Amino acid sequence: MTRTPVQTRALLLFLVVILLTANAGWAQERAPESGAALHDLRVDVGYLSADHLEGRETGTAGERLAAQYLVDRFQELGLQPGLDDSWIQPFDFTFSANPHAPQGEGMPRTGHNVVGLLDREAERTVVIGAHYDGLGYGGVGSRAPGDSLIHNGADDNASGVAALLEIARQLQASDARSHNVLFVAFSGEELGLYGSKHFVEALPMPAEQVSYMINLDMVGRLGENQRLVVSGTGTSPAWSAALDAAADATDLTLAEDPSGLGASDHTSFYLEDIPAVHLFTGAHDDYHTPTDDSHRIDVDGLQDVATFAVRLVEELDDDGDLPFTETDNERQGRQMSFNVSLGIMPDYVFEGEGLRLDAVTDADGPAGRAGLQEGDVIVRLGDTDIGDIYAYMDALNALEPGDTATVVVRRGDEMLETKVQF
Ligand SMILES: [Zn+2]
């Protein structure tokens, strides 16, 4: 007997409530109606990260089950189909597990974005998004490559999708009415932002009518320090005051990163000159492994993050169109403390040994002048072996303008050594 989503939800409700009620020791006082919202959050995270969905890899049966569940939830929340009379936006792409494969080589795949609309009959629209696809049984992107176990993806990113649904519930009751709101659950993110790239290429309205985008990716581990990382704050001067007001209203502490480019779907909007921020509660050891499970999710914190996003929308309600500002991703935000830069864009989703270059962003920068290329993997910089992005940051930290350093890169099967001049 195939269970309907409703029967599965009832069964999961029983299981998840048993499992989770114990861990909210630091929960603050909450409005009575948020009790029902809290268990909806638990159930949404529980269902989406259940083995039943096999890690929700794009193009699989698990992805389609999740998509159907989201359509049902969007309907329950009173949203309308986001694409005329359709909830689902299929998109085709070609994917190869080999990061060096030429463009267009690989297996064809079809992913499915799920789109719901809160129609305020307004001229302008806000996009709130979260990817719902996951890593399936591991493989590409897994930090446990030897493990072909289900990567349940509770924090990455069932948490963001559950928060998206809670934001829809709260905005239905909000006085913020100057924008329509499109709620988008993207697929194809883990394989390379394919769903959001397609969505911005096929927007249901002119890009000029989209005021801004809020992206939720890994928001399930807020924890006691109530610290929320917000990237993309440099993509409009309007963000700062609104973020501060929303943080005050929710007692969250923000760690801001102005960079508009990052390892998630907000980047697709930034590249279309649409101001976009990414909400994130931080990396952890379970990231991209089979142990990213629902019992580790801070559900009270998840509701706080959702409420924060709602406050942000309310703060910006009268602002109309937000002015867009390009960010100098190398020197701002994450690299604010460095005195030098290589002039590259790191591949944030690369899981191999080293730091893979997603792009040489400055042809006249040290990397450009030294002949480094997209796809190169830096394994040594100066005196530092580069195992990941953090080692790269440490290596940059040790360098000063005017310094010359040896850099070793892996290009295909070759190891190349050259010098970079800062
Ligand atoms: Zn993610």
Side-chain angles (χ1 to χ4, degrees), residues 184-230:
V184 189
F186 300 108
S187 189
E189 191 272 352
E190 296 291 3
L191 300 176
L193 311 185
Y194 287 101
S196 56
K197 279 178 190 164
H198 178 81
F199 186 79
V200 295
E201 283 160 13
L203 280 171
M205 74 282 295
E208 306 73 56
Q209 291 176 9
V210 177
S211 289
Y212 60 86
M213 191 265 186
I214 298 175
N215 182 35
L216 302 124
D217 193 351
M218 297 180 65
V219 290
R221 299 284 193 99
L222 187 67
E224 287 181 357
N225 63 15
Q226 301 280 100
R227 216 172 101 88
L228 182 67
V229 180
V230 183

mmCIF file of all heavy atoms in Angstrom, residues 184-230:
data_model
loop_
_atom_site.group_PDB
_atom_site.id
_atom_site.type_symbol
_atom_site.label_atom_id
_atom_site.label_comp_id
_atom_site.label_asym_id
_atom_site.label_seq_id
_atom_site.Cartn_x
_atom_site.Cartn_y
_atom_site.Cartn_z
ATOM 1 N N VAL A 184 9.775 29.688 -3.760
ATOM 2 C CA VAL A 184 10.339 28.755 -4.728
ATOM 3 C C VAL A 184 11.200 27.711 -4.033
ATOM 4 O O VAL A 184 12.151 28.063 -3.327
ATOM 5 C CB VAL A 184 11.187 29.477 -5.794
ATOM 6 C CG1 VAL A 184 11.581 28.502 -6.907
ATOM 7 C CG2 VAL A 184 10.455 30.683 -6.360
ATOM 8 N N ALA A 185 10.831 26.441 -4.213
ATOM 9 C CA ALA A 185 11.671 25.335 -3.757
ATOM 10 C C ALA A 185 12.454 24.857 -4.980
ATOM 11 O O ALA A 185 11.878 24.321 -5.926
ATOM 12 C CB ALA A 185 10.820 24.221 -3.172
ATOM 13 N N PHE A 186 13.776 25.147 -4.979
ATOM 14 C CA PHE A 186 14.601 24.830 -6.141
ATOM 15 C C PHE A 186 15.084 23.382 -6.076
ATOM 16 O O PHE A 186 15.347 22.842 -4.994
ATOM 17 C CB PHE A 186 15.848 25.725 -6.167
ATOM 18 C CG PHE A 186 15.566 27.204 -6.232
ATOM 19 C CD1 PHE A 186 15.799 27.997 -5.115
ATOM 20 C CD2 PHE A 186 15.072 27.786 -7.378
ATOM 21 C CE1 PHE A 186 15.532 29.360 -5.146
ATOM 22 C CE2 PHE A 186 14.806 29.146 -7.426
ATOM 23 C CZ PHE A 186 15.040 29.929 -6.306
ATOM 24 N N SER A 187 15.269 22.798 -7.255
ATOM 25 C CA SER A 187 15.996 21.535 -7.330
ATOM 26 C C SER A 187 17.309 21.807 -8.058
ATOM 27 O O SER A 187 17.563 22.936 -8.482
ATOM 28 C CB SER A 187 15.153 20.477 -8.053
ATOM 29 O OG SER A 187 15.783 19.207 -7.944
ATOM 30 N N GLY A 188 18.165 20.775 -8.154
ATOM 31 C CA GLY A 188 19.394 20.948 -8.927
ATOM 32 C C GLY A 188 20.468 21.792 -8.264
ATOM 33 O O GLY A 188 21.509 22.058 -8.863
ATOM 34 N N GLU A 189 20.255 22.215 -7.007
ATOM 35 C CA GLU A 189 21.245 23.083 -6.345
ATOM 36 C C GLU A 189 22.536 22.332 -6.071
ATOM 37 O O GLU A 189 23.631 22.836 -6.349
ATOM 38 C CB GLU A 189 20.669 23.641 -5.036
ATOM 39 C CG GLU A 189 21.497 24.751 -4.400
ATOM 40 C CD GLU A 189 22.577 24.261 -3.457
ATOM 41 O OE1 GLU A 189 22.623 23.048 -3.150
ATOM 42 O OE2 GLU A 189 23.404 25.085 -3.047
ATOM 43 N N GLU A 190 22.437 21.127 -5.541
ATOM 44 C CA GLU A 190 23.634 20.394 -5.145
ATOM 45 C C GLU A 190 24.525 20.044 -6.331
ATOM 46 O O GLU A 190 25.730 19.832 -6.180
ATOM 47 C CB GLU A 190 23.241 19.101 -4.406
ATOM 48 C CG GLU A 190 22.522 19.325 -3.085
ATOM 49 C CD GLU A 190 23.414 19.921 -1.992
ATOM 50 O OE1 GLU A 190 24.597 20.212 -2.272
ATOM 51 O OE2 GLU A 190 22.903 20.142 -0.881
ATOM 52 N N LEU A 191 23.937 19.988 -7.508
ATOM 53 C CA LEU A 191 24.702 19.610 -8.699
ATOM 54 C C LEU A 191 25.298 20.826 -9.396
ATOM 55 O O LEU A 191 26.080 20.683 -10.329
ATOM 56 C CB LEU A 191 23.807 18.818 -9.662
ATOM 57 C CG LEU A 191 23.223 17.524 -9.089
ATOM 58 C CD1 LEU A 191 22.280 16.871 -10.094
ATOM 59 C CD2 LEU A 191 24.328 16.559 -8.695
ATOM 60 N N GLY A 192 24.894 22.043 -8.927
ATOM 61 C CA GLY A 192 25.452 23.247 -9.536
ATOM 62 C C GLY A 192 24.444 24.366 -9.757
ATOM 63 O O GLY A 192 24.488 25.035 -10.792
ATOM 64 N N LEU A 193 23.556 24.568 -8.842
ATOM 65 C CA LEU A 193 22.592 25.682 -8.898
ATOM 66 C C LEU A 193 21.712 25.647 -10.159
ATOM 67 O O LEU A 193 21.233 26.687 -10.628
ATOM 68 C CB LEU A 193 23.311 27.046 -8.828
ATOM 69 C CG LEU A 193 24.344 27.257 -7.733
ATOM 70 C CD1 LEU A 193 24.852 28.703 -7.736
ATOM 71 C CD2 LEU A 193 23.808 26.885 -6.350
ATOM 72 N N TYR A 194 21.468 24.445 -10.716
ATOM 73 C CA TYR A 194 20.762 24.362 -12.007
ATOM 74 C C TYR A 194 19.329 24.871 -11.930
ATOM 75 O O TYR A 194 18.833 25.527 -12.855
ATOM 76 C CB TYR A 194 20.788 22.914 -12.526
ATOM 77 C CG TYR A 194 22.147 22.480 -13.038
ATOM 78 C CD1 TYR A 194 22.980 21.695 -12.247
ATOM 79 C CD2 TYR A 194 22.599 22.885 -14.287
ATOM 80 C CE1 TYR A 194 24.231 21.310 -12.700
ATOM 81 C CE2 TYR A 194 23.849 22.513 -14.754
ATOM 82 C CZ TYR A 194 24.663 21.716 -13.956
ATOM 83 O OH TYR A 194 25.914 21.358 -14.412
ATOM 84 N N GLY A 195 18.644 24.596 -10.803
ATOM 85 C CA GLY A 195 17.240 25.010 -10.691
ATOM 86 C C GLY A 195 17.096 26.517 -10.623
ATOM 87 O O GLY A 195 16.253 27.104 -11.313
ATOM 88 N N SER A 196 17.928 27.175 -9.821
ATOM 89 C CA SER A 196 17.800 28.637 -9.685
ATOM 90 C C SER A 196 18.317 29.346 -10.936
ATOM 91 O O SER A 196 17.784 30.379 -11.341
ATOM 92 C CB SER A 196 18.536 29.129 -8.440
ATOM 93 O OG SER A 196 19.899 28.749 -8.457
ATOM 94 N N LYS A 197 19.328 28.776 -11.587
ATOM 95 C CA LYS A 197 19.799 29.361 -12.852
ATOM 96 C C LYS A 197 18.655 29.349 -13.858
ATOM 97 O O LYS A 197 18.390 30.338 -14.538
ATOM 98 C CB LYS A 197 20.978 28.543 -13.410
ATOM 99 C CG LYS A 197 22.320 28.846 -12.783
ATOM 100 C CD LYS A 197 23.394 27.934 -13.398
ATOM 101 C CE LYS A 197 24.722 28.019 -12.652
ATOM 102 N NZ LYS A 197 25.625 26.874 -13.012
ATOM 103 N N HIS A 198 17.948 28.208 -13.927
ATOM 104 C CA HIS A 198 16.837 28.112 -14.872
ATOM 105 C C HIS A 198 15.725 29.070 -14.476
ATOM 106 O O HIS A 198 15.145 29.757 -15.326
ATOM 107 C CB HIS A 198 16.280 26.681 -14.921
ATOM 108 C CG HIS A 198 15.109 26.559 -15.852
ATOM 109 N ND1 HIS A 198 15.259 26.428 -17.218
ATOM 110 C CD2 HIS A 198 13.777 26.610 -15.603
ATOM 111 C CE1 HIS A 198 14.055 26.378 -17.782
ATOM 112 N NE2 HIS A 198 13.146 26.503 -16.827
ATOM 113 N N PHE A 199 15.466 29.168 -13.166
ATOM 114 C CA PHE A 199 14.353 30.010 -12.703
ATOM 115 C C PHE A 199 14.573 31.469 -13.094
ATOM 116 O O PHE A 199 13.653 32.137 -13.583
ATOM 117 C CB PHE A 199 14.184 29.891 -11.177
ATOM 118 C CG PHE A 199 12.979 30.623 -10.665
ATOM 119 C CD1 PHE A 199 11.719 30.068 -10.796
ATOM 120 C CD2 PHE A 199 13.099 31.879 -10.091
ATOM 121 C CE1 PHE A 199 10.588 30.750 -10.359
ATOM 122 C CE2 PHE A 199 11.987 32.568 -9.656
ATOM 123 C CZ PHE A 199 10.730 32.008 -9.785
ATOM 124 N N VAL A 200 15.809 31.986 -12.931
ATOM 125 C CA VAL A 200 16.036 33.401 -13.267
ATOM 126 C C VAL A 200 16.043 33.621 -14.773
ATOM 127 O O VAL A 200 15.768 34.721 -15.245
ATOM 128 C CB VAL A 200 17.335 33.956 -12.631
ATOM 129 C CG1 VAL A 200 17.238 33.982 -11.124
ATOM 130 C CG2 VAL A 200 18.558 33.225 -13.111
ATOM 131 N N GLU A 201 16.363 32.558 -15.520
ATOM 132 C CA GLU A 201 16.317 32.688 -16.982
ATOM 133 C C GLU A 201 14.866 32.691 -17.475
ATOM 134 O O GLU A 201 14.569 33.242 -18.541
ATOM 135 C CB GLU A 201 17.070 31.533 -17.646
ATOM 136 C CG GLU A 201 18.593 31.665 -17.614
ATOM 137 C CD GLU A 201 19.291 30.301 -17.830
ATOM 138 O OE1 GLU A 201 18.599 29.341 -18.243
ATOM 139 O OE2 GLU A 201 20.500 30.217 -17.516
ATOM 140 N N ALA A 202 13.974 32.056 -16.704
ATOM 141 C CA ALA A 202 12.564 31.942 -17.140
ATOM 142 C C ALA A 202 11.643 32.530 -16.074
ATOM 143 O O ALA A 202 10.652 31.910 -15.679
ATOM 144 C CB ALA A 202 12.243 30.462 -17.381
ATOM 145 N N LEU A 203 11.981 33.742 -15.609
ATOM 146 C CA LEU A 203 11.170 34.367 -14.560
ATOM 147 C C LEU A 203 9.735 34.574 -15.038
ATOM 148 O O LEU A 203 9.519 34.924 -16.195
ATOM 149 C CB LEU A 203 11.754 35.731 -14.187
ATOM 150 C CG LEU A 203 12.955 35.771 -13.250
ATOM 151 C CD1 LEU A 203 13.508 37.199 -13.179
ATOM 152 C CD2 LEU A 203 12.578 35.274 -11.861
ATOM 153 N N PRO A 204 8.723 34.363 -14.180
ATOM 154 C CA PRO A 204 7.329 34.590 -14.606
ATOM 155 C C PRO A 204 6.976 36.072 -14.738
ATOM 156 O O PRO A 204 5.821 36.396 -15.023
ATOM 157 C CB PRO A 204 6.520 33.920 -13.489
ATOM 158 C CG PRO A 204 7.412 33.838 -12.326
ATOM 159 C CD PRO A 204 8.818 33.807 -12.836
ATOM 160 N N MET A 205 7.927 36.978 -14.508
ATOM 161 C CA MET A 205 7.705 38.416 -14.684
ATOM 162 C C MET A 205 9.047 39.031 -15.067
ATOM 163 O O MET A 205 10.087 38.398 -14.889
ATOM 164 C CB MET A 205 7.159 39.049 -13.393
ATOM 165 C CG MET A 205 8.129 39.223 -12.261
ATOM 166 S SD MET A 205 8.448 37.676 -11.369
ATOM 167 C CE MET A 205 6.792 37.413 -10.705
ATOM 168 N N PRO A 206 9.047 40.277 -15.595
ATOM 169 C CA PRO A 206 10.327 40.909 -15.939
ATOM 170 C C PRO A 206 11.213 41.031 -14.691
ATOM 171 O O PRO A 206 10.706 41.309 -13.590
ATOM 172 C CB PRO A 206 9.922 42.286 -16.475
ATOM 173 C CG PRO A 206 8.484 42.131 -16.889
ATOM 174 C CD PRO A 206 7.895 41.117 -15.958
ATOM 175 N N ALA A 207 12.515 40.831 -14.846
ATOM 176 C CA ALA A 207 13.445 40.869 -13.705
ATOM 177 C C ALA A 207 13.367 42.207 -12.965
ATOM 178 O O ALA A 207 13.524 42.256 -11.742
ATOM 179 C CB ALA A 207 14.873 40.630 -14.201
ATOM 180 N N GLU A 208 13.039 43.273 -13.684
ATOM 181 C CA GLU A 208 12.966 44.596 -13.042
ATOM 182 C C GLU A 208 11.837 44.656 -12.010
ATOM 183 O O GLU A 208 11.843 45.513 -11.130
ATOM 184 C CB GLU A 208 12.718 45.716 -14.059
ATOM 185 C CG GLU A 208 13.711 45.751 -15.229
ATOM 186 C CD GLU A 208 13.462 44.612 -16.213
ATOM 187 O OE1 GLU A 208 12.325 44.500 -16.717
ATOM 188 O OE2 GLU A 208 14.396 43.809 -16.406
ATOM 189 N N GLN A 209 10.876 43.728 -12.125
ATOM 190 C CA GLN A 209 9.750 43.757 -11.174
ATOM 191 C C GLN A 209 10.034 42.902 -9.934
ATOM 192 O O GLN A 209 9.186 42.783 -9.044
ATOM 193 C CB GLN A 209 8.464 43.280 -11.859
ATOM 194 C CG GLN A 209 7.951 44.253 -12.918
ATOM 195 C CD GLN A 209 6.731 43.694 -13.645
ATOM 196 O OE1 GLN A 209 6.159 42.664 -13.255
ATOM 197 N NE2 GLN A 209 6.377 44.350 -14.740
ATOM 198 N N VAL A 210 11.224 42.299 -9.882
ATOM 199 C CA VAL A 210 11.604 41.521 -8.697
ATOM 200 C C VAL A 210 12.463 42.424 -7.812
ATOM 201 O O VAL A 210 13.567 42.807 -8.186
ATOM 202 C CB VAL A 210 12.379 40.253 -9.091
ATOM 203 C CG1 VAL A 210 12.823 39.484 -7.836
ATOM 204 C CG2 VAL A 210 11.532 39.365 -9.992
ATOM 205 N N SER A 211 11.937 42.779 -6.631
ATOM 206 C CA SER A 211 12.634 43.745 -5.780
ATOM 207 C C SER A 211 13.859 43.138 -5.091
ATOM 208 O O SER A 211 14.895 43.786 -4.980
ATOM 209 C CB SER A 211 11.675 44.284 -4.713
ATOM 210 O OG SER A 211 10.724 45.124 -5.325
ATOM 211 N N TYR A 212 13.756 41.915 -4.619
ATOM 212 C CA TYR A 212 14.903 41.254 -3.980
ATOM 213 C C TYR A 212 14.585 39.784 -3.745
ATOM 214 O O TYR A 212 13.462 39.330 -3.982
ATOM 215 C CB TYR A 212 15.253 41.930 -2.657
ATOM 216 C CG TYR A 212 14.144 41.938 -1.620
ATOM 217 C CD1 TYR A 212 13.967 40.864 -0.753
ATOM 218 C CD2 TYR A 212 13.276 43.025 -1.500
ATOM 219 C CE1 TYR A 212 12.954 40.855 0.193
ATOM 220 C CE2 TYR A 212 12.239 43.031 -0.569
ATOM 221 C CZ TYR A 212 12.084 41.947 0.277
ATOM 222 O OH TYR A 212 11.068 41.942 1.197
ATOM 223 N N MET A 213 15.621 39.048 -3.302
ATOM 224 C CA MET A 213 15.461 37.605 -3.043
ATOM 225 C C MET A 213 16.064 37.258 -1.705
ATOM 226 O O MET A 213 17.110 37.800 -1.322
ATOM 227 C CB MET A 213 16.187 36.822 -4.170
ATOM 228 C CG MET A 213 15.895 35.339 -4.178
ATOM 229 S SD MET A 213 17.153 34.391 -3.291
ATOM 230 C CE MET A 213 16.625 32.719 -3.640
ATOM 231 N N ILE A 214 15.371 36.378 -0.954
ATOM 232 C CA ILE A 214 15.905 35.856 0.304
ATOM 233 C C ILE A 214 16.073 34.348 0.139
ATOM 234 O O ILE A 214 15.115 33.656 -0.231
ATOM 235 C CB ILE A 214 14.967 36.151 1.487
ATOM 236 C CG1 ILE A 214 14.791 37.659 1.692
ATOM 237 C CG2 ILE A 214 15.494 35.501 2.777
ATOM 238 C CD1 ILE A 214 13.776 38.038 2.767
ATOM 239 N N ASN A 215 17.288 33.841 0.373
ATOM 240 C CA ASN A 215 17.589 32.418 0.213
ATOM 241 C C ASN A 215 17.848 31.781 1.566
ATOM 242 O O ASN A 215 18.586 32.341 2.382
ATOM 243 C CB ASN A 215 18.836 32.265 -0.681
ATOM 244 C CG ASN A 215 19.201 30.817 -0.933
ATOM 245 O OD1 ASN A 215 18.334 29.956 -1.055
ATOM 246 N ND2 ASN A 215 20.496 30.538 -0.983
ATOM 247 N N LEU A 216 17.227 30.619 1.801
ATOM 248 C CA LEU A 216 17.436 29.896 3.049
ATOM 249 C C LEU A 216 18.121 28.579 2.738
ATOM 250 O O LEU A 216 17.530 27.726 2.069
ATOM 251 C CB LEU A 216 16.091 29.653 3.737
ATOM 252 C CG LEU A 216 15.290 30.913 4.059
ATOM 253 C CD1 LEU A 216 13.907 30.867 3.435
ATOM 254 C CD2 LEU A 216 15.190 31.092 5.559
ATOM 255 N N ASP A 217 19.341 28.407 3.151
ATOM 256 C CA ASP A 217 20.063 27.156 2.905
ATOM 257 C C ASP A 217 20.868 26.804 4.149
ATOM 258 O O ASP A 217 21.809 27.513 4.488
ATOM 259 C CB ASP A 217 20.978 27.297 1.677
ATOM 260 C CG ASP A 217 21.509 25.953 1.193
ATOM 261 O OD1 ASP A 217 21.308 24.949 1.897
ATOM 262 O OD2 ASP A 217 22.141 25.930 0.130
ATOM 263 N N MET A 218 20.490 25.739 4.824
ATOM 264 C CA MET A 218 21.076 25.275 6.079
ATOM 265 C C MET A 218 20.796 26.267 7.195
ATOM 266 O O MET A 218 21.657 27.047 7.606
ATOM 267 C CB MET A 218 22.580 25.029 5.936
ATOM 268 C CG MET A 218 22.913 23.929 4.948
ATOM 269 S SD MET A 218 24.691 23.633 4.776
ATOM 270 C CE MET A 218 25.163 23.019 6.389
ATOM 271 N N VAL A 219 19.559 26.224 7.679
ATOM 272 C CA VAL A 219 19.149 27.129 8.763
ATOM 273 C C VAL A 219 18.639 26.350 9.973
ATOM 274 O O VAL A 219 17.884 26.887 10.794
ATOM 275 C CB VAL A 219 18.083 28.125 8.266
ATOM 276 C CG1 VAL A 219 18.673 29.133 7.287
ATOM 277 C CG2 VAL A 219 16.874 27.404 7.635
ATOM 278 N N GLY A 220 19.066 25.089 10.102
ATOM 279 C CA GLY A 220 18.499 24.227 11.138
ATOM 280 C C GLY A 220 19.375 24.031 12.365
ATOM 281 O O GLY A 220 19.061 23.195 13.222
ATOM 282 N N ARG A 221 20.446 24.800 12.449
ATOM 283 C CA ARG A 221 21.381 24.588 13.580
ATOM 284 C C ARG A 221 21.698 25.911 14.273
ATOM 285 O O ARG A 221 22.866 26.236 14.529
ATOM 286 C CB ARG A 221 22.680 23.965 13.068
ATOM 287 C CG ARG A 221 22.556 22.620 12.396
ATOM 288 C CD ARG A 221 22.357 21.477 13.386
ATOM 289 N NE ARG A 221 22.532 20.169 12.755
ATOM 290 C CZ ARG A 221 23.612 19.421 12.805
ATOM 291 N NH1 ARG A 221 24.673 19.889 13.460
ATOM 292 N NH2 ARG A 221 23.665 18.229 12.240
ATOM 293 N N LEU A 222 20.647 26.683 14.573
ATOM 294 C CA LEU A 222 20.887 27.997 15.180
ATOM 295 C C LEU A 222 21.614 27.869 16.517
ATOM 296 O O LEU A 222 22.627 28.514 16.754
ATOM 297 C CB LEU A 222 19.564 28.752 15.350
ATOM 298 C CG LEU A 222 19.666 30.205 15.806
ATOM 299 C CD1 LEU A 222 20.324 31.065 14.719
ATOM 300 C CD2 LEU A 222 18.292 30.771 16.150
ATOM 301 N N GLY A 223 21.067 27.037 17.391
ATOM 302 C CA GLY A 223 21.751 26.763 18.654
ATOM 303 C C GLY A 223 21.675 27.904 19.651
ATOM 304 O O GLY A 223 21.098 28.960 19.392
ATOM 305 N N GLU A 224 22.316 27.689 20.791
ATOM 306 C CA GLU A 224 22.192 28.634 21.922
ATOM 307 C C GLU A 224 22.722 30.018 21.592
ATOM 308 O O GLU A 224 22.215 31.019 22.085
ATOM 309 C CB GLU A 224 22.936 28.087 23.131
ATOM 310 C CG GLU A 224 22.203 26.908 23.788
ATOM 311 C CD GLU A 224 22.954 26.379 25.017
ATOM 312 O OE1 GLU A 224 24.064 26.908 25.307
ATOM 313 O OE2 GLU A 224 22.430 25.446 25.629
ATOM 314 N N ASN A 225 23.744 30.115 20.749
ATOM 315 C CA ASN A 225 24.323 31.456 20.542
ATOM 316 C C ASN A 225 23.461 32.313 19.607
ATOM 317 O O ASN A 225 23.752 33.488 19.397
ATOM 318 C CB ASN A 225 25.755 31.351 19.999
ATOM 319 C CG ASN A 225 25.791 30.694 18.634
ATOM 320 O OD1 ASN A 225 24.750 30.575 17.973
ATOM 321 N ND2 ASN A 225 26.981 30.280 18.194
ATOM 322 N N GLN A 226 22.378 31.752 19.056
ATOM 323 C CA GLN A 226 21.424 32.547 18.271
ATOM 324 C C GLN A 226 22.141 33.377 17.225
ATOM 325 O O GLN A 226 21.751 34.515 16.946
ATOM 326 C CB GLN A 226 20.600 33.446 19.210
ATOM 327 C CG GLN A 226 19.810 32.702 20.271
ATOM 328 C CD GLN A 226 18.513 32.114 19.741
ATOM 329 O OE1 GLN A 226 18.448 30.927 19.438
ATOM 330 N NE2 GLN A 226 17.493 32.940 19.581
ATOM 331 N N ARG A 227 23.176 32.791 16.629
ATOM 332 C CA ARG A 227 23.987 33.533 15.644
ATOM 333 C C ARG A 227 23.577 33.104 14.233
ATOM 334 O O ARG A 227 23.556 31.914 13.917
ATOM 335 C CB ARG A 227 25.454 33.155 15.857
ATOM 336 C CG ARG A 227 26.461 34.268 15.646
ATOM 337 C CD ARG A 227 27.824 33.752 16.088
ATOM 338 N NE ARG A 227 28.624 33.355 14.946
ATOM 339 C CZ ARG A 227 29.399 34.205 14.295
ATOM 340 N NH1 ARG A 227 29.442 35.461 14.672
ATOM 341 N NH2 ARG A 227 30.107 33.825 13.280
ATOM 342 N N LEU A 228 23.245 34.083 13.429
ATOM 343 C CA LEU A 228 22.801 33.796 12.066
ATOM 344 C C LEU A 228 23.763 34.464 11.088
ATOM 345 O O LEU A 228 24.038 35.656 11.199
ATOM 346 C CB LEU A 228 21.380 34.327 11.851
ATOM 347 C CG LEU A 228 20.741 34.079 10.485
ATOM 348 C CD1 LEU A 228 20.491 32.592 10.262
ATOM 349 C CD2 LEU A 228 19.432 34.863 10.347
ATOM 350 N N VAL A 229 24.279 33.684 10.132
ATOM 351 C CA VAL A 229 25.156 34.235 9.098
ATOM 352 C C VAL A 229 24.287 34.752 7.956
ATOM 353 O O VAL A 229 23.391 34.051 7.487
ATOM 354 C CB VAL A 229 26.132 33.171 8.561
ATOM 355 C CG1 VAL A 229 27.033 33.771 7.475
ATOM 356 C CG2 VAL A 229 26.955 32.558 9.687
ATOM 357 N N VAL A 230 24.500 35.998 7.564
ATOM 358 C CA VAL A 230 23.754 36.564 6.433
ATOM 359 C C VAL A 230 24.773 36.992 5.378
ATOM 360 O O VAL A 230 25.579 37.889 5.622
ATOM 361 C CB VAL A 230 22.898 37.777 6.849
ATOM 362 C CG1 VAL A 230 22.080 38.283 5.657
ATOM 363 C CG2 VAL A 230 21.981 37.431 8.018
#
